[in-house]
Amino acid sequence: MTGGSPPILDLLPLVFARPEDALSRARAVLAAEPTAHDASVAQQVLGIWERDFGDLHTALGHLRRARDLAARSGSSDREADVLATLGAALVHAGRTQRGVEALNRAVTRGTGTTLARVLFRRGYVWWVLGRHREALDDLRRAVPVLRQAGDVIWTARALTLRATVHLAMGSAERAETDFGGAERLWATTDQEHDKADAVESRGLAAFRSGDIPAALRLLDEAARRYAALGTPMFMLNIRRCEVLMAVGLAREALDEADAATDMLESIGGQSTRKAELLLAAARAANAAGDAETAVARATAATRLFSSQRREWWGAHARLVLVEARLAGGRLSRRLVGEAAAVAARLSELGSPSAVEASLLAGRAALALGWATDAERHLVAAARGRFRGPAFARAGGWVAQALRAETAGSTRKVLDACRRGLDLLDEHQMTLGASELRARATAQGAELAALAQRASLRSGSPRRLLVWSERWRATVLAAPPTRPPADPVLLRDITAFREITSRAEAARSAGAPVPALERERRRLEREIRARTLHIRGQERSDNRRLDVRRLLDLLGNGRLVEIVAVDGDLHVLLCGGGRVRRFPAGRLADAVTEADHVRAGLRRLAHPEATDRLAILEAGGRRLEEILLGPAVRQLGTGPVVVVPPGRLHGVPWALLPALRERAFSVSPSASSWLRAREIEPPLGGRFVLVRGPGLATGGAEVPRLAGQYGKATVLENGAASVPAVLEAIDGGLLAHIAAHGTFRADNPMFSSLRMDDGPLTVHDFERLRRSPHQIILSSCDSGRLASVGADELLGLATALLPLGTAGIVASCVPVNDEAVVPLMLALHERMRAGRTMAGALLDARRTMPHDAAHQATGWAFSAIGAA
């Protein structure tokens, strides 16, 4: 407080320094027969606490009593201060007109510093209502007075709010200046809640500038501070949702928004925040492809914003509602008109979302064939390609590409797509976590599809190949940023391993494991959060495929790249010095048939399912027809490399008749195959054999292989701990790991191999300096990958490829442990004879007995990469 303030007024800043202390002291004041002045302060403190951290209805009761007591005290400044607090609470309760009236009365009653504080709170309310210019007007009046009075706390609050308003209006540089000024002021105070708010605000600024890892780190830090104070802050949830959606984590954003809404309702919290959370949930549902949920949430948000007289927010909710209805297939003239009206209104309000709205209106008009209207909207949307962070500007290049497509200019379509994807490359390289980099590619999916469509229409198979490669498996183009030597992260990873191992042991003994499972999930969240904070190294990388080099290295072999354009599959057959295109089936049919044959393979891992072998072989023939079409007759006699779309990487390719008796490998992209092909094996590299616990055969191939390899490093019988395995395989020539595999579709980065001390996860593999040149994973599901983002893959196998592994043998389904042993022994025998992994695997399949279990086991394994 400023000099000369009565001690009772020190309670007000205490609410945001030590909230619980403020609460108990205010109650103590009221219990001691205070004056009207002091009682009004105590009631105001209780009202502020309930307004921000508790029940809003209770808050209004306290604040009305504070107002009446202030009027009896005879102090106009006291009355003005309480009226301003009450006005903000009324607005948060959805009683906008009464709230604004209270604030306007407060402005007429206050003087000097009190008036400046009132203006700050009215500015805050204007921001809540989306009336940003009025908010800036009040803040410009308030800040100089507060500074002159030496009021550090309120000056810092005003600067923080002004920065937030600048961000809402798209003025990132002005926001940075105000955030910096506020942060310096907060450092001189003990306002712990306000300091947490400042950290949250810096997270918002980092997001608006395009620094996603910093945004996530700062928002997580703010959450920890709020939790320590016991003060839930729902604006933090809203901001986290924004950031999560920007990196393709839309389903997580939806879950967070819904959970926060439930918590808000359970404590009787602010109606304004509920509307904003509903809007965040609607946006997240849209991004997750859940149009029905998006419509429900956006409709509820629109109604609330309307009742609260929040036009700026209501316009944004209507934008999401129109987008959800269009995504749900409700295209109509009326809906296109609504999209145009929302775009116009957002433009009038000065919202940066006007670009997004114009792009939506342009797409909708194109769908109805309204070329003139579409051009008008797309011109407006295209202006966004020069403003904002890289991931936001990409939408402007989508608009430019759509304009060019409508005009029939292939060159201009491809130019716009190139420039948009280059921007997203910049953004992607700021992300250190491979999961974020993979998921963030979803932002470029439309640009990549537009480029593929234009290339297909041009009639050039080579051009279609280059553009299909441009946005496929991009995460494998460079190694992930190695996690730092973060002691907290390392501690959590070790604890996760131990807890998981204990839970498995307890489960095997029939003991209850709920407490262990809760701790395991908590540690997963902590590990993932700290990993997502890692910043990228901003590497530059030429993503253009060198087709000539590819054709030279293929020799007499063939590379089959399968691409999906508008749901249709096309086979690009590379080899013999040229690229040819063949039409194939539908992507949806391929996915369905692949699911069927994988299910059949899983059943054949059990000896009693022998009668399904013929059914499985028939499924392989159908799958071949869908996937390869007439290209199957042009494969030649040499080895084949198959490059499928992300959604088809789980296909058991050996089931296809054309590949069953052929040496073939699978690669996430032609570019990654080229890189793997050119990796030199390490000189004097080690042979490492690992046998994990709990295998039905005890990993019977490992002792026999140890005798054949002589000087191999063997880790088994308690010695196969995760640290020991990582140390042994780092930089090795060949590693064979016989261990139970677990694929985590819900969280692919925690897919794992079971070691003696617990799971060896993707996070562990990413700590290697150089992964083994060749690695054989003889476990169930070791080759399964999650398709995420535009056309990216996450899992154990893809964690190794960018770290120096040239070839992998792994399975796409659970396998019969006993049948694996002879397959692995034959595979190693042929590799020692000089065969490639693909050739050795073919030879090993040929040696297998002809019963269903052994045949299915052979089909379940594929060679991945180029070794």
Side-chain angles (χ1 to χ4, degrees):
M1 299 302 294
T2 57
S5 298
I8 184 68
L9 295 179
D10 291 339
L11 280 180
L12 290 167
L14 194 64
V15 179
F16 297 106
R18 299 190 302 278
E20 296 300 325
D21 283 356
L23 200 61
S24 61
R25 291 189 190 183
R27 288 170 177 160
V29 168
L30 292 173
E33 300 184 3
T35 64
H37 177 281
D38 289 2
S40 78
V41 174
Q43 290 286 358
Q44 186 180 5
V45 167
L46 296 177
I48 293 171
W49 193 96
E50 291 287 356
R51 180 195 67 191
D52 288 355
F53 316 128
D55 182 82
L56 189 54
H57 178 75
T58 303
L60 290 174
H62 285 301
L63 292 173
R64 288 189 179 109
R65 286 192 287 277
R67 175 197 59 194
D68 296 342
L69 288 162
R72 284 166 46 194
S73 75
S75 168
S76 60
D77 278 349
R78 175 96 285 274
E79 187 177 1
D81 197 65
V82 175
L83 279 169
T85 305
L86 175 61
L90 285 166
V91 169
H92 277 308
R95 303 172 194 178
T96 302
Q97 183 174 349
R98 290 185 180 180
V100 171
E101 287 171 355
L103 281 156
N104 290 339
R105 286 202 306 276
V107 169
T108 65
R109 300 284 289 162
T111 60
T113 305
T114 299
L115 174 59
R117 294 175 184 172
V118 170
L119 288 169
F120 159 78
R121 280 172 282 192
R122 191 170 70 173
Y124 168 79
V125 163
W126 293 144
W127 169 70
V128 168
L129 296 175
R131 293 162 65 171
H132 298 126
R133 292 182 179 86
E134 288 147 291
L136 288 178
D137 287 343
D138 276 350
L139 291 169
R140 285 176 184 135
R141 289 174 60 190
V143 169
V145 177
L146 295 169
R147 274 185 170 147
Q148 187 174 6
D151 194 333
V152 172
I153 292 172
W154 285 87
T155 303
R157 286 174 180 165
L159 290 174
T160 300
L161 176 59
R162 191 167 70 181
T164 306
V165 177
H166 282 315
L167 282 181
M169 298 180 73
S171 302
E173 289 183 7
R174 292 178 179 178
E176 284 283 355
T177 300
D178 278 345
F179 277 137
E183 189 172 2
R184 288 189 291 274
L185 291 173
W186 287 128
T188 67
T189 75
D190 62 355
Q191 295 294 114
E192 297 306 320
H193 187 276
D194 285 311
K195 287 180 181 179
D197 182 67
V199 174
E200 178 187 336
S201 297
R202 284 168 48 214
L204 177 62
F207 170 59
R208 292 283 190 258
S209 68
D211 191 346
I212 300 291
L216 287 169
R217 176 176 55 79
L218 290 163
L219 293 177
D220 286 349
E221 172 61 24
R224 280 190 289 273
R225 294 189 182 207
Y226 290 136
L229 293 167
T231 55
M233 290 298 290
F234 298 101
M235 182 54 72
L236 175 69
N237 299 111
I238 293 166
R239 288 168 174 168
R240 268 185 56 81
C241 288
E242 275 194 88
V243 180
L244 291 172
M245 281 186 282
V247 287
L249 296 171
R251 179 56 59 180
E252 288 185 33
L254 176 57
D255 291 343
E256 176 151 345
D258 282 348
T261 303
D262 292 342
M263 179 184 287
L264 182 77
E265 290 179 333
S266 72
I267 65 172
Q270 300 169 357
S271 171
T272 49
R273 286 288 179 264
K274 178 181 176 180
E276 292 160 22
L277 283 166
L278 286 168
L279 175 56
R283 285 172 168 156
N286 248 348
D290 187 350
E292 185 178 350
T293 298
V295 168
R297 301 290 191 279
T299 300
T302 301
R303 288 172 181 157
L304 274 176
F305 287 134
S306 177
S307 69
Q308 295 163 2
R309 303 187 181 187
R310 302 171 70 187
E311 186 178 4
W312 190 88
W313 290 93
H316 287 80
R318 289 197 301 278
L319 167 62
V320 179
L321 184 57
V322 170
E323 186 177 5
R325 285 173 173 162
L326 287 170
R330 305 184 194 178
L331 180 66
S332 66
R333 291 172 178 268
R334 178 180 174 183
L335 202 55
V336 174
E338 288 180 21
V342 169
R345 187 63 187 126
L346 286 171
S347 181
E348 290 169 6
L349 292 168
S351 169
S353 296
V355 169
E356 178 188 349
S358 294
L359 178 57
L360 180 67
R363 283 198 195 101
L366 280 177
L368 283 181
W370 297 356
T372 303
D373 288 347
E375 173 69 6
R376 184 177 74 255
H377 295 305
L378 293 174
V379 165
R383 296 188 188 109
R385 65 194 191 277
F386 302 118
R387 296 195 300 270
F391 59 82
R393 287 151 59 195
W397 287 110
V398 170
Q400 193 74 347
L402 287 170
R403 291 181 65 209
E405 184 179 56
T406 303
S409 173
T410 297
R411 181 183 63 79
K412 289 183 178 179
V413 170
L414 296 179
D415 180 65
C417 292
R418 176 183 59 78
R419 296 178 72 172
L421 291 174
D422 285 349
L423 270 177
L424 291 173
D425 275 340
E426 292 177 23
H427 168 53
Q428 193 184 31
M429 288 300 101
T430 68
L431 308 173
S434 52
E435 180 184 2
L436 281 192
R437 288 168 54 204
R439 294 187 185 278
T441 59
Q443 295 167 332
E446 186 171 6
L447 285 166
L450 283 164
Q452 283 183 306
R453 205 154 62 215
S455 300
L456 182 62
R457 281 198 303 269
S458 76
S460 167
R462 186 173 293 220
R463 176 181 281 170
L464 180 57
L465 174 65
V466 168
W467 277 101
S468 296
E469 283 286 305
R470 177 64 182 83
W471 208 240
R472 172 179 279 192
T474 62
V475 172
L476 304 184
T481 302
R482 268 191 100 223
D486 177 351
V488 177
L489 178 58
L490 293 172
R491 180 199 68 200
D492 285 347
I493 289 174
T494 302
F496 167 78
R497 203 175 295 138
E498 180 184 349
I499 288 292
T500 304
S501 184
R502 285 171 55 194
E504 287 178 356
R507 198 176 289 111
S508 299
V513 295
L516 291 171
E517 279 299 307
R518 283 194 298 272
E519 179 62 6
R520 181 189 63 78
R521 288 193 294 270
R522 184 193 70 79
L523 287 165
E524 271 192 22
R525 290 193 298 270
E526 290 294 323
I527 293 166
R528 187 164 181 259
R530 295 191 78 84
T531 304
L532 298 186
H533 297 169
I534 299 170
R535 185 171 173 79
Q537 298 173 350
E538 300 192 35
R539 303 170 291 267
S540 61
D541 178 47
N542 181 5
R543 293 272 172 81
R544 185 178 175 86
L545 173 68
D546 187 340
V547 178
R548 182 176 297 177
R549 178 70 175 152
L550 173 68
L551 294 172
D552 287 346
L553 285 177
L554 281 170
N556 71 332
R558 296 289 185 270
L559 183 141
V560 176
E561 178 139 346
I562 304 171
V563 302
V565 182
D566 294 331
D568 291 321
L569 295 177
H570 301 265
V571 177
L572 297 174
L573 186 61
C574 308
R578 58 180 176 158
V579 181
R580 291 176 286 168
R581 181 184 70 84
F582 298 87
R586 295 282 297 171
L587 175 62
D589 295 337
V591 169
T592 300
E593 194 61 49
D595 287 343
H596 288 160
V597 296
R598 272 200 304 270
L601 271 182
R602 281 195 293 271
R603 283 192 286 271
L604 284 176
H606 305 286
E608 63 272 13
T610 55
D611 59 327
R612 302 194 63 84
L613 190 61
I615 297 173
L616 193 60
E617 290 181 301
R621 290 191 292 273
R622 289 192 300 272
L623 201 51
E624 178 176 280
E625 183 179 350
I626 297 168
L627 291 171
L628 300 180
V632 73
R633 294 185 291 276
Q634 307 294 327
L635 295 181
T637 58
V640 169
V641 180
V642 181
V643 180
R647 292 180 63 189
L648 294 175
H649 258 274
V651 168
W653 295 96
L655 259 176
L656 276 58
L659 299 179
R660 197 172 300 167
E661 291 298 320
R662 184 189 299 271
F664 74 89
S665 61
V666 184
S667 182
S669 68
S671 300
S672 67
W673 181 83
L674 266 179
R675 286 189 293 272
R677 180 75 168 70
E678 295 174 337
I679 294 174
E680 293 292 335
L683 296 175
R686 295 178 302 280
F687 294 92
V688 182
L689 304 171
V690 179
R691 180 160 55 154
L695 295 168
T697 64
E701 77 269 24
V702 171
R704 295 171 65 178
L705 290 173
Q708 295 168 8
Y709 279 106
K711 294 183 179 180
T713 299
V714 181
L715 298 172
E716 58 184 350
N717 301 326
S721 66
V722 171
V725 170
L726 291 175
E727 183 179 359
I729 69 174
D730 203 332
L733 179 63
L734 171 66
H736 177 107
I737 302 179
H740 280 301
T742 300
F743 173 71
R744 289 281 302 277
D746 64 315
N747 202 340
M749 301 300 286
F750 284 92
S751 295
S752 63
L753 302 172
R754 185 179 170 194
M755 299 292 105
D756 286 326
D757 61 340
L760 169 62
T761 69
V762 176
H763 288 296
D764 294 308
F765 274 133
E766 288 190 343
R767 304 192 73 83
L768 292 170
R769 289 180 293 274
R770 177 175 177 176
S771 55
H773 184 68
Q774 295 176 317
I775 187 164
I776 297 169
L777 303 174
S778 64
S779 52
C780 300
D781 284 334
S782 53
R784 279 190 69 187
L785 302 168
S787 177
V788 302
D791 203 0
E792 303 293 322
L793 297 164
L794 290 177
L796 290 167
T798 51
L800 297 164
L801 291 174
L803 292 171
T805 293
I808 304 167
V809 169
S811 70
C812 62
V813 293
V815 289
N816 183 294
D817 283 355
E818 292 183 2
V820 165
V821 174
L823 181 73
M824 292 296 110
L825 292 172
L827 171 68
H828 280 274
E829 180 184 357
R830 298 305 298 152
M831 287 176 63
R832 288 197 307 278
R835 289 280 273 166
T836 64
M837 295 186 96
L841 185 57
L842 171 64
D843 293 346
R845 286 194 199 99
R846 287 171 171 166
T847 68
M848 295 290 277
H850 293 289
D851 62 273
H854 284 86
Q855 288 296 301
T857 300
W859 293 334
F861 282 88
S862 292
I864 303 170

